[in-house]
Amino acid sequence: MPLTPRLTTLAIAAGLTLAAHSAQAQQATVREAPLRAHLSFLADDLLEGRGTGQRGGDLAVRYLETQAALMGLKPLADGSYRQPVRFQGTKLLPGSTVTFNAGSGTRLTPIPGQGIVYGTGSGKASVNFEAPLVFVGYGVKAEEENWDDYKGADVKGKILVMMVNDPQPTAEEPNRFAGKAYTYYGRWLYKFEEAVRRGAAGVLLIHTTPSASYPWSVPANGFSHERFHLNGGGNNIEGWLHEDTARDLVGASGFDLDELRRRAERRDFQPVDLKATARVELRSVVRQVEQFNVAGIVPGTDPKLKEQAVVYSAHWDHLGIDEGVKRDDKTDHTYNGAIDNASGAAALLAMAAEAVKHPARRTQVFLWPAAEEQGLLGSAAYVANPAWPLDKTSADLNLDSMNFAGRTKDIGVAGAERSSLYETAGQVAKKMGLKLAPLIPDLSGAYFRADHFNFAKAGVPAFNVGSAVFSGDGHFEFKKNQQASSDKLVAFKKDYHQVSDEYHADWDLSGMVQQAQFTLNLGYAVANAPAMASFKKGDAFAKVKR
């Protein structure tokens, strides 16, 4: 039966609409030249490592908002591309000390940066007190796991010594705390927050490279810089103990560190009074800081769906310059953060420039959060006061530390399996001739260490769009150009949070462009879909109301 003229018209209109939506993603093609230009500029010494609260951070914000306006992104409701993020910065002064007095009369004063790192989250310029030390295992209370390391112990005013990571699986319980994978309970952020909730005076985490998933140099570098908190409600002291220091301290108190660790793997673990005290004398410079998230908008085209949005995010900050450190011509004190995360910030600029030309049915929000390196502070501030309502935000697709080693045959989507984004990602990958990289246990807690996590905590499906090949410790390793004869592995681990994370003009950015294109294509698929993305039933975040 032939179609009536009206049905024919509707069919043609529907076909044109579908074709237009398909063409939008195809036409929005990420180009390497602007991505490379943005990357080389953001990682240049001129931007001084884009440090939070430093001039380099201000320069980065100014650059991003200028580029957003130039390419035609719409500003926020107040007419600005900036979203203020207010917090306090604390820089430890020389002469600050932590001295341990063990039960045997032994006094230990570990060298800062070598045997211990510490600071204060209290907002106080002067912290001076003595407190007992209590070992609390992993410092975890998780009702869903029937786990409580505190057992009702009163830890007010005490310094808690604890392990990083979370309770490990056993033969009887291979899936407890996600098996070999990290959970949020394993993150230092959770442990510091839980100590504050319990009124503790502070936390000292015992560092090992396997449990933290990064070497001692990472917390040592982190605590050598000014540190930031959203408010003054942090611990009087928070820091890390080198494993050797922890072993000496516990041993001097008459305990065996390995035995305490074994106890901590059991549900019947009880907090252990270490029969030792710490004398804490901290002097800090404390200041109030205003930093900015940068955000721009591509309005949607559908009369109804444009009220909903997909967010793309990539933090702009890194560790800046070692302020107050004497400099000479032979020493590099600038943490350029080329891969972490000038790469993601640059890719987002390149993606936004194309999205402006080809709007989707839903609105697209491009977000550059501040202070990610300080504990995801910028994205936390955004989620608390979003530019787009969270209940109308379909997803957040995050980029952090991107592929600088050439094109790949697969794409990493770890964390997407929690939501409908996984199936959509598979469809997008297939169209691009890619495969989804196999899902592996999250041994480093990577899902909880990037800005997308704050969206997930608020009920918005989100993940970090990864590169092709992930190593077990969470910091990527790439095969250098799979089409080349060389099979040399390019490792980023040695450059992570080091001054050596610098831009190199000879980098093959074809893989970075590929990764950015996949993310943009996925964003279009989400933005043009009939329904918003959702967490899968049974996932912990599915219970969160947006």
Side-chain angles (χ1 to χ4, degrees), residues 216-241:
W216 173 255
S217 61
V218 173
N221 279 340
F223 276 77
S224 70
H225 292 72
E226 183 178 22
R227 300 173 62 247
F228 298 88
H229 296 77
L230 284 178
N231 54 57
N235 297 284
N236 281 327
I237 180 173
E238 48 194 32
W240 296 69
L241 295 172

Side-chain angles (χ1 to χ4, degrees), residues 18 21 74 110 119 228 245 247 257 299 341 353 392 406 414 446 463 501:
L18 291 173
H21 292 157
K74 301 298 182 183
F228 298 88
T245 301
R247 194 172 295 281
L257 180 59
N341 187 34
K392 295 183 179 179
F463 74 102
D501 182 7

Side-chain angles (χ1 to χ4, degrees), residues 259-401:
E259 173 57 27
L260 291 182
R261 286 170 168 162
R262 283 191 287 272
R263 289 195 215 174
E265 297 296 343
R266 295 172 54 91
R267 277 196 173 79
D268 60 2
F269 168 82
Q270 296 282 340
V272 177
D273 180 354
L274 291 177
K275 310 299 181 183
T277 62
R279 181 68 198 173
V280 178
E281 297 181 22
L282 307 183
R283 302 292 179 271
S284 306
V285 175
V286 180
R287 64 182 178 125
Q288 297 302 311
V289 177
E290 183 179 60
Q291 202 64 80
F292 299 93
N293 296 332
V294 178
I297 296 170
V298 179
T301 60
D302 187 278
K304 292 184 178 180
L305 294 182
K306 69 180 182 180
E307 300 300 321
Q308 301 172 356
V310 57
V311 176
Y312 308 86
S313 57
H315 74 91
W316 59 255
D317 66 297
H318 197 55
L319 302 181
I321 288 179
D322 276 335
E323 293 187 323
V325 177
K326 184 177 180 180
R327 299 177 179 84
D328 56 56
D329 294 337
K330 299 179 181 179
T331 307
D332 185 358
H333 292 279
T334 301
Y335 291 78
N336 300 80
I339 296 302
D340 184 14
N341 187 34
S343 65
L348 219 60
L349 284 170
M351 292 159 57
E354 297 306 313
V356 166
K357 304 171 189 175
H358 310 287
R361 298 176 70 193
R362 286 183 177 82
T363 293
Q364 297 175 86
V365 178
F366 289 84
L367 171 67
W368 292 266
E372 187 270 356
E373 302 290 5
Q374 305 301 326
L376 317 184
L377 300 185
S379 56
Y382 176 90
V383 168
N385 183 29
W388 210 266
L390 295 182
D391 62 353
K392 295 183 179 179
T393 299
S394 183
D396 171 58
L397 306 178
N398 192 63
L399 290 171
D400 194 341
S401 300

